[in-house]
């Protein structure tokens, strides 16, 4: 039997719970984005203030806690290859053309 009928596996319960959490988070975004101009979001790399009118980057950060994580990992890998040892928080990085700084915060 599956999730609703008992005797499901732990993985089935976790998948159902995660799916439920995602639906709740999406509903919260719809409410928050209608009534607030901006909101603070705990992302994978730190706390960011996002505009609730941003339906792409801001929404992704609110729903998933990350945006373009592959780009951030690729950039840090490039810096590590270029300078030997990349240490987060050390040195200076110019994020030219940054939108809201998701790449910079990730570094």
């Amino acid at each position: 039997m599956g999730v609703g009928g008992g005797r499901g596996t732990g993985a089935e319960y976790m998948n159902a719970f995660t799916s439920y959490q995602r639906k709740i988070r999406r509903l919260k975004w719809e409410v928050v984005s209608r009534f607030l101009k901006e909101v603070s979001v705990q992302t994978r790399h730190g706390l960011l203030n996002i505009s609730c009118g941003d339906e792409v980057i801001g929404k992704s950060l609110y729903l998933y806690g990350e945006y373009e994580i592959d780009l951030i990992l690729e950039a840090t890998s490039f810096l590590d290859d270029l300078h030997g040892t990349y240490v987060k928080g050390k040195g200076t990085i110019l994020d030219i053309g940054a939108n809201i700084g998701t790449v910079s915060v990730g570094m």
Side-chain angles (χ1 to χ4, degrees):
M1 293 189 149
V3 171
R7 294 198 180 208
T9 66
E12 287 175 324
Y13 285 109
M14 285 307 294
N15 287 337
F17 181 71
T18 303
S19 176
Y20 175 75
Q21 284 180 320
R22 278 189 235 131
K23 288 177 185 175
I24 295 296
R25 193 74 175 160
R26 282 190 203 107
L27 179 61
K28 283 174 66 178
W29 170 256
E30 292 302 321
V31 172
V32 165
S33 66
R34 288 178 195 245
F35 296 105
L36 298 176
K37 288 187 175 186
E38 61 180 46
V39 65
S40 295
V41 176
Q42 183 61 48
T43 70
R44 181 176 182 161
H45 300 289
L47 191 64
L48 285 175
N49 288 335
I50 60 167
S51 167
C52 292
D54 184 350
E55 285 290 322
V56 179
I57 298 172
K59 184 176 181 179
S60 178
L61 289 169
Y62 187 87
L63 294 177
Y64 310 111
E66 62 187 31
Y67 179 76
E68 290 189 342
I69 191 66
D70 293 337
L71 176 64
I72 295 169
L73 296 175
E74 186 176 326
T76 55
S77 176
F78 170 77
L79 291 172
D80 189 32
D81 291 345
L82 188 65
H83 288 78
T85 303
Y86 169 74
V87 179
K88 182 176 179 171
K90 300 291 182 182
T92 302
I93 293 176
L94 299 177
D95 193 356
I96 308 293
N99 185 346
I100 63 172
T102 55
V103 174
S104 299
V105 171
M107 300 176 132

